[in-house]
Amino acid sequence: MGSIATKQREMMMENQELMIQRNLQMQNQIRERQVAMQLAMARERFYWFASFYVIALAGMLKGKLKTKSSAYLAPSVPLTFILAYQADFAFGDKIPRIRRMAEEVLENERELLRLPYGLPTLHSIDAAREKAGSD
């Protein structure tokens, strides 16, 4: 009788482990898809902004040549920084740099990640649910 219970317990543990592995795999695939979407959106944003930048720069150059005043080129400085940032994010190595910084925070600055009042407890969740139900 004991061996049947032991066997059932082992099967339950194996099923739980399989469920957890599947859940982790599913969450990772969802995360990868979300990151891919963010990267694709960044690239699309870069294309639009680069087009705007070229048109704006052409207008600034035309204004400078017409009036001989360098003031027309002043907006090109911040626009260049914005374009460079977006290019770095969309096509450069910004994502691995951000990942390394996040890993450093997780390793060395863990106290910055704590939630106010700590992790939610079953009691606090039930209390909030009951309060919402009574309102």
Side-chain angles (χ1 to χ4, degrees):
M1 191 77 158
S3 67
I4 294 173
T6 304
K7 203 167 196 168
Q8 283 180 329
R9 206 173 303 123
E10 287 174 5
M11 285 182 62
M12 283 177 51
M13 292 297 289
E14 287 174 15
N15 283 338
Q16 281 182 330
E17 186 176 331
L18 181 62
M19 234 171 57
I20 290 171
Q21 288 173 352
R22 284 181 175 160
N23 194 1
L24 288 172
Q25 184 62 31
M26 180 185 67
Q27 288 176 0
N28 189 50
Q29 286 184 18
I30 289 170
R31 183 196 60 79
E32 287 175 344
R33 292 173 187 184
Q34 289 172 336
V35 170
M37 283 294 292
Q38 289 175 341
L39 187 55
M41 287 171 37
R43 289 180 178 174
E44 181 67 16
R45 188 179 311 113
F46 171 77
Y47 295 142
W48 279 91
F49 189 79
S51 300
F52 164 77
Y53 179 80
V54 168
I55 293 168
L57 191 60
M60 288 182 257
L61 286 172
K62 184 177 178 183
K64 186 214 181 301
L65 293 174
K66 235 180 182 182
T67 64
K68 307 278 192 262
S69 171
S70 297
Y72 280 95
L73 296 177
S76 68
V77 175
L79 291 177
T80 302
F81 279 102
I82 294 169
L83 182 67
Y85 178 86
Q86 290 185 353
D88 187 28
F89 186 80
F91 299 103
D93 65 341
K94 185 135 194 90
I95 292 176
R97 288 194 321 257
I98 291 171
R99 186 179 300 119
R100 281 193 301 273
M101 285 184 225
E103 289 169 355
E104 288 175 18
V105 168
L106 287 169
E107 289 173 7
N108 304 322
E109 302 175 69
R110 200 123 185 114
E111 70 279 356
L112 298 175
L113 304 176
R114 282 185 294 179
L115 292 171
Y117 301 117
L119 287 174
T121 63
L122 184 58
H123 176 71
S124 67
I125 293 168
D126 285 341
R129 185 180 52 81
E130 289 172 7
K131 182 180 177 189
S134 66
D135 288 341

